[in-house]
């Protein structure tokens, strides 16, 4: 690990450290300006002199192209994504952005960069494939008023995508709970509007409202918790909170405060019982946006949970386990079971995917629980740090590959949506006959979600289960070799979470397989026998997702090592 | 090139089938129909080449590899390539006398299946899927890495799922899902067992092939060698209770696949709905995966637990044997009857294991092999009934031997082979299991009542097989009764390709019945090696060994 460099805001090295973020910012400015360029003129008041002003007026042919905003957003996000990959390949510098008074605001390290990889990747794919979703005809002055209006809204859509990415990257980098909160709100507000973007449809408005109301209540509760933490510690710096927690963490005030903050993140990861808005939001939003909610937004919430639980409320080294251990174990069990059972009964593929996303949140919570339990018994726990790194690696890996197959599944639904709806399972009927490659892609996404080898989803689920079992069993193997005798009762109880997790994967097989059967067995709906609407962008995005899913499943070592490096760079204090 | 397994036996079939499927996926129906014939030919040639390779291995053409005298836990043709370094996962392949017969059987059944189902509809996609099935099955048998083993174990589900879903009978939708979910559920529990086993490795001593991140390895050879390690306090590598838990979790996966009563309910549905080719591979090889897995993992890793659960296994085996046979008596559908008879025969394997005699284990191994040759013929006959008469109802027809002597002869031969006629392959295995059982009764003081089940089943098996034959191909004298489903059309006989497949299967059934030592010698040797190398050193001379 390289040395930590300290940089002041806008000081030397600031631009170099925050390259991808500034890239997004530049893209945002271009996105606001470029589509508005036209033959507009500015009349100097009191004269007849008109100066060419270039903003507004009759737009140029190129700048009025409705696809322009989408291209700008896609290129910006992809450039930021590739930039991070480049940074990884060049070797990462750890940079902390600190104020003059020594307050750490942002920290650039492998951990935050991997999360940005998730955010930018998901948003780039979503904005690329959204290009096919609005029927756009003609350009410039040939458009009717209504069409023009629609095209102008294209700009807003992609501006929100980029602000969302910016907010998320702030969450990834933040070292101060308040900065994190600002990033969280920026990203959240962008997603609220994105969900409600189809305001002409009843479902769009309804889902947007639900998502907004529940989300803002969650944020409000989180903010309240923040204020309690500030009251207790006098600072919202993670490092200050952590040191405070180590001395007086188990008193009522910080525990309640942390609990409230966790509610805010719990909503983002759609953990039960804060998941009620998720199925409605996913069903009403356009599919790529729903895909972003299920991947990038969830990763953001998970990031918040990890920071709060592992940095601030770190597992104590003396008595072995974290204060929140039991609570999170129960939450994980309830979340995964609830999500899977609810998914069994849903006939709407988007709601089904939403509930499956709840179930996946449960698996990830189980992994976090395992970290909380890492040194439950000093005799067999082994090297605690490595066990925690194993769990974190599994979590990161899962979040990264989730982008490929979860978003991919939503993109397949997106193609059907452009045809006229994907709100019932039967709309997938006969997909194998209509477009075999699309059906095979969906099949791969489904079995990957269920965790069937050799897909990426299998490897990630395997890693999570392995990490939990590793914590539960500890170093019993070595202890036995050294002469100890162990029994099944000596397993830590998180082992049962792993068992619950495999049972849940078996349950989830029902509804994933149902989608496959509908695609390969049922006949198409009436009037939907013909070929699907064209659109090479969304198909390219799906193809990328399929290739990633299969490639990572077969050769996941590189990504695994990347995630391990990132997990190592999370600075734990325990 | 000296790696004769990775690419020739596993990689090429899988790659070829993916390429062929990709090739036809976007073609329209007319093009697909036109392509069906050449693709079938490609698949036949390809699978025959696999057979050539494995047969060459048997005749020691590829290096001087003898399948006998391989000591326990060492493998021939073994190769190991790093796969996922962080977790200690390798692409590790190799064969011993346990896996080689199964690999040969798979490569033998592939071309036979293709010949027997020569005219299957949508051939352009059907034959590549059959080929993929073969590659995945071979992958299971040659894996020497737990991760790789599990990957192929699950991979076999996918082609079989599509075979049933796309080419199956009326209720194929239900049957394919039940098949997939049932076996998937059992396998994920097995997976948790494998992972728990993985973490019970001693990391204090540097381990070969260990992962950089975990310090442990998925390598089967390394893990198996650990089963023999005793620690300073005289405790075994795994504590007795932990062994039991892991044994149960692993066995659950294998017993469902086998399947043994009470986990057998997916099998009749899957078999009845599956197309003929699917049934042939399902009964011929896929069920054997369960038995193979038992021998490869729990039996080689947890001898103490095996001893503890000996009685349980014996009971499960007896129940499967008897229950499967009794249910056969009540079946009116030929294919369902054959499916339940498979359950009964798989019970014989479990009994053979539970005797804990070298003779019993060798018998179980030979049963796997013999049933793998015989049962495809049973299902080919059922498929011929379905294909030509559109009916598999016992009692819906009479005196079919008059109209289709070929089908009747094949049926009679297959039925006789399955009920254990001497000089046919099935007899050898059953006889050996009976001897092992007698040995337990005579030398170890088990109750003689344990013989009641097998004795009963010998009679019942003869009854349902003979009875079903009597009511379909015989009886009726001059007044034969073609099935109503033919609607008065002339009664056809089987096609030439079906005849060819039947002849091949019959020849090999006779071959392994008359000269069982071809396969039995290496199986005997494997059992002797595992008993000398593992069971006896660990459990002591607990019951002699026949």
């Amino acid at each position: 690990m390289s040395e930590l460099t300290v940089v002041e805001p806008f000081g030397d090295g600031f631009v170099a450290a925050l390259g991808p973020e500034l890239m997004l910012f530049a893209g945002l400015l271009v996105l606001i300006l470029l589509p508005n360029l036209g033959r507009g003129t500015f009349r100097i008041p009191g004269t007849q002199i008109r100066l060419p002003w270039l903003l507004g007026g009759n737009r140029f042919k190129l700048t009025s192209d409705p696809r322009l905003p989408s291209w700008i957003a896609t290129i910006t996000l992809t450039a930021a994504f590739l930039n991070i990959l480049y940074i990884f390949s060049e070797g990462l510098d750890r940079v902390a952005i600190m104020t003059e008074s020594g307050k750490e605001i942002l920290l650039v390290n492998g951990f935050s960069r991997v999360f940005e990889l998730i955010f930018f990747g998901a948003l780039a794919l979503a904005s690329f494939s959204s290009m096919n979703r609005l029927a756009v005809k003609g350009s410039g002055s040939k458009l009717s008023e209504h069409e023009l209006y629609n095209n102008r809204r294209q700009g807003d859509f992609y501006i929100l995508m980029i602000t969302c990415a910016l907010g998320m990257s702030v969450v990834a980098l933040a070292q101060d709970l308040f900065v994190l909160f600002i990033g969280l709100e920026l990203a959240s507000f962008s997603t609220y509007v994105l969900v409600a973007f189809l305001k002409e449809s009843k479902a769009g408005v309804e889902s947007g409202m639900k998502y907004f109301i529940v989300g803002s209540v969650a944020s409000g509760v989180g903010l309240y918790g923040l204020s309690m933490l500030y009251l207790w510690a006098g600072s919202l710096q993670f490092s200050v909170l952590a040191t405070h927690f180590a001395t007086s963490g188990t008193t009522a005030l910080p525990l309640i405060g942390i609990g409230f903050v966790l509610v805010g993140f719990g909503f983002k990861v759609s953990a039960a019982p804060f998941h009620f808005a998720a199925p409605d939001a996913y069903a009403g939003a356009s599919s790529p946006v729903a895909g972003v909610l299920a991947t990038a937004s969830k990763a953001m919430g998970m990031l918040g949970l990890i920071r709060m639980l592992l940095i601030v409320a770190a597992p104590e080294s003396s008595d072995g386990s974290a204060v929140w251990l039991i609570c999170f174990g129960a939450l994980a069990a309830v979340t995964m079971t609830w999500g899977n059972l609810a998914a069994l009964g849903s006939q709407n593929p988007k709601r089904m995917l939403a509930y499956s996303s709840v179930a996946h949140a449960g698996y990830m919570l189980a992994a976090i629980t395992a970290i909380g339990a890492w040194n439950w018994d000093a005799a067999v726990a082994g090297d605690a740090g490595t066990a925690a790194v194993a769990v974190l690696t599994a979590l990161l890996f899962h979040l990264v590959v989730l982008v490929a197959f979860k978003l991919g599944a939503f993109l397949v639904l997106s193609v059907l949506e452009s045809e006229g709806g994907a709100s019932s399972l039967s709309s997938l009927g006969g997909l194998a006959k209509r477009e075999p490659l699309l059906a095979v892609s969906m099949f791969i996404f489904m079995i990957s979600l269920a965790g069937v080898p050799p897909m990426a989803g299998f490897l990630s689920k395997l890693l999570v289960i392995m990490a939990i079992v590793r914590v539960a069993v500890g170093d019993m193997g070595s202890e036995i070799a050294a002469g100890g005798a162990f029994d099944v009762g000596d397993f830590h109880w998180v082992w049962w979470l792993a068992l619950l997790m495999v049972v849940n994967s078996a349950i989830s097989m029902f509804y994933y397989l149902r989608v496959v059967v509908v695609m390969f067995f049922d006949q198409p709906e009436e009037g939907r026998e013909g070929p699907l609407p064209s659109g090479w962008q969304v198909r390219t995005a799906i193809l990328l997702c399929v290739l990633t899913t299969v490639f990572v499943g077969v050769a996941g070592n590189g990504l695994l090592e990347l995630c391990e490096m990132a997990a190592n760079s999370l600075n734990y204090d325990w | 090139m000296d790696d004769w397994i990775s690419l020739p036996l596993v990689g090429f079939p899988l790659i070829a089938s993916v390429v062929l499927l990709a090739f036809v996926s976007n073609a329209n129906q007319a093009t697909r129909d036109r392509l069906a014939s050449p693709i079938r030919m490609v698949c036949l040639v390809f699978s025959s080449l696999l057979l050539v390779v494995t047969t060459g291995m048997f005749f020691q053409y590829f290096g001087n590899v003898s399948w006998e005298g391989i000591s326990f836990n060492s493998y021939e043709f073994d190769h190991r390539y790093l796969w996922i370094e962080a977790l200690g996962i390798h692409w590790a392949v190799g064969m011993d006398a346990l896996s080689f017969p199964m690999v040969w059987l798979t490569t033998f059944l592939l071309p036979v299946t293709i010949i027997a189902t020569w005219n299957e509809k949508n051939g352009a996609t059907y034959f590549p899927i059959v080929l993929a099935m073969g590659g995945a099955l071979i992958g299971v048998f040659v894996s020497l890495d737990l991760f790789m083993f599990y990957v192929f174990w699950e991979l076999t589900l996918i082609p079989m799922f599509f075979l049933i879903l796309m080419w199956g009978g009326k209720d194929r939708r239900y049957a394919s899902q039940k098949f997939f979910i049932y076996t998937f559920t059992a396998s994920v529990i097995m997976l948790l067992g494998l992972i728990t086993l993985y973490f019970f490795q001693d990391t204090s001593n540097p381990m070969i092939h260990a992962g950089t991140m975990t310090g442990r390895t998925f390598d089967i050879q390394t893990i198996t060698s650990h089963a023999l390690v005793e620690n300073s306090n005289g405790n075994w590598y795994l504590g007795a209770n932990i062994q039991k838990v892991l044994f149960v979790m692993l066995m659950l996966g294998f017993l469902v696949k086998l399947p043994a009563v009470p986990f057998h309910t997916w099998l009749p549905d899957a078999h009845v709905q599956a197309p003929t080719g699917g049934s042939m591979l399902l009964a011929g090889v896929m069920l054997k995966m369960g038995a193979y897995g038992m021998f490869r993992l729990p039996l080689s890793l947890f001898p103490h637990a095996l001893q503890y659960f000996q009685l349980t296994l014996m009971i499960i085996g007896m129940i499967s044997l008897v229950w499967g046979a009794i249910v056969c008596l009540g079946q009116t559908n030929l294919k369902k009857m054959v499916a339940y008879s498979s359950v009964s025969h798989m019970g014989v394997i479990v009994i053979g294991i539970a005797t804990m005699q070298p003779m019993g284990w060798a018998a179980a191994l030979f049963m796997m092999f013999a049933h793998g040759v015989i049962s495809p013929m049973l299902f080919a006959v059922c498929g011929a009934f379905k294909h030509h008469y559109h009916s598999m109802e016992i009692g819906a027809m009479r005196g079919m031997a008059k109209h289709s002597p070929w089908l009747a002869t094949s049926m009679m031969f297959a039925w006789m082979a399955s009920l254990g006629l001497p000089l046919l392959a099935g007899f050898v295995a059953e006889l050996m299991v009976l001897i092992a059982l007698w040995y337990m009764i005579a030398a170890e003081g088990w109750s003689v009542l344990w013989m009641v089940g097998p004795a009963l089943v010998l009679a019942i098996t003869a009854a349902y097989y003979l009875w079903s034959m009597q009511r379909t191909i015989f009886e009726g004298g001059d007044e034969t009764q073609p099935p109503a489903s033919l609607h008065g059309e002339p009664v056809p006989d089987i096609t030439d390709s079906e005849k060819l497949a039947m002849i091949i299967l019959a020849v090999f059934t006779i071959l392994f019945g008359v000269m069982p030592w071809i396969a039995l010698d290496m199986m005997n040797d494997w059992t002797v090696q595992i008993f000398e190398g593992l069971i006896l050193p660990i459990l002591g001379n607990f019951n002699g060994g026949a």
Side-chain angles (χ1 to χ4, degrees), chain A residues 436 478 480-481 483 487 522 554, chain B residues 25 83 173 202-203 231 233 237 241:
Chain A
S478 308
I480 289 173
D487 216 334
D522 286 0
V554 174
Chain B
S25 63
W83 189 355
R173 184 188 177 130
D202 175 14
T203 50
N231 70 17
N233 289 3
Y237 159 63
N241 285 340

Side-chain angles (χ1 to χ4, degrees), chain B residues 169-190:
Chain B
K170 200 161 86 279
D171 289 328
R172 57 188 188 270
R173 184 188 177 130
Y174 169 77
S176 60
Q177 291 189 69
K178 184 171 178 180
F179 158 74
F180 200 113
I181 290 165
Y182 218 110
T183 49
F184 182 78
T185 308
S187 353
V188 285
I189 290 175
M190 178 181 94

Side-chain angles (χ1 to χ4, degrees), chain A residues 352-363:
Chain A
M352 186 273 276
L353 283 176
Y355 281 120
S356 106
S357 159
V358 174
H360 277 265
Y363 303 152

Side-chain angles (χ1 to χ4, degrees), chain A residues 16 44 65 112 118 175 190 209 275 363 409 414 428 440 493 561:
Chain A
I44 298 174
D65 183 25
S112 51
I118 299 171
Q175 286 301 301
S190 312
M209 279 307 285
H275 68 282
Y363 303 152
S414 164
L428 283 156
V440 170
W493 57 262
E561 276 167 3

Side-chain angles (χ1 to χ4, degrees), chain A residues 356-374:
Chain A
S356 106
S357 159
V358 174
H360 277 265
Y363 303 152
M364 288 187 265
L365 288 183
I368 290 188
T369 313
I371 302 184
W374 64 257

